[in-house]
Amino acid sequence: MYGRFIDKFPIGSFIRSLNMKSGQTHVQRYMRPLLERIRKGEVDPSCIITHTLRLDDTPHRYDISKNRYEDCAKVMLKR
């Protein structure tokens, strides 16, 4: 689902234990301002990062992310 339609979606009328997932965002629009806020210390993303891996470990990153191994939520790649 696209976020822009969320206000027309009857979220409150669902039964319990319903999981909803979405994966689209305006990355190009928000990436630079968000990175700048992280650099300034205004935003701390550490609460959502579950794994920190080296760039060389990218294949492992895709495996654990796709299959939700090791309680993977967000991975940060470093050089």
Side-chain angles (χ1 to χ4, degrees):
M1 113 176 42
Y2 294 91
R4 67 177 178 243
F5 297 119
I6 197 79
D7 65 329
K8 305 291 187 234
F9 198 78
I11 283 266
S13 65
F14 281 100
I15 58 173
R16 289 182 168 195
S17 301
L18 178 68
N19 292 322
M20 294 181 61
K21 294 182 180 184
S22 179
Q24 296 187 357
T25 185
H26 303 286
V27 175
Q28 300 303 319
R29 179 178 178 184
Y30 295 114
M31 182 63 80
R32 284 190 180 138
L34 285 172
L35 286 174
E36 187 59 33
R37 292 187 72 189
I38 291 169
R39 284 187 192 107
K40 290 179 180 178
E42 297 172 0
V43 175
D44 179 13
S46 65
C47 63
I48 62 169
I49 297 171
T50 57
H51 292 71
T52 302
L53 301 172
R54 292 173 22 134
L55 215 52
D56 296 340
D57 296 326
T58 301
H60 176 62
R61 173 260 185 245
Y62 279 107
D63 183 45
I64 64 174
S65 181
K66 177 182 175 186
N67 297 303
R68 300 285 187 219
Y69 296 140
E70 304 172 14
D71 294 324
C72 180
K74 288 288 182 192
V75 179
M76 181 172 64
L77 295 173
K78 289 188 172 187
R79 284 192 247 172

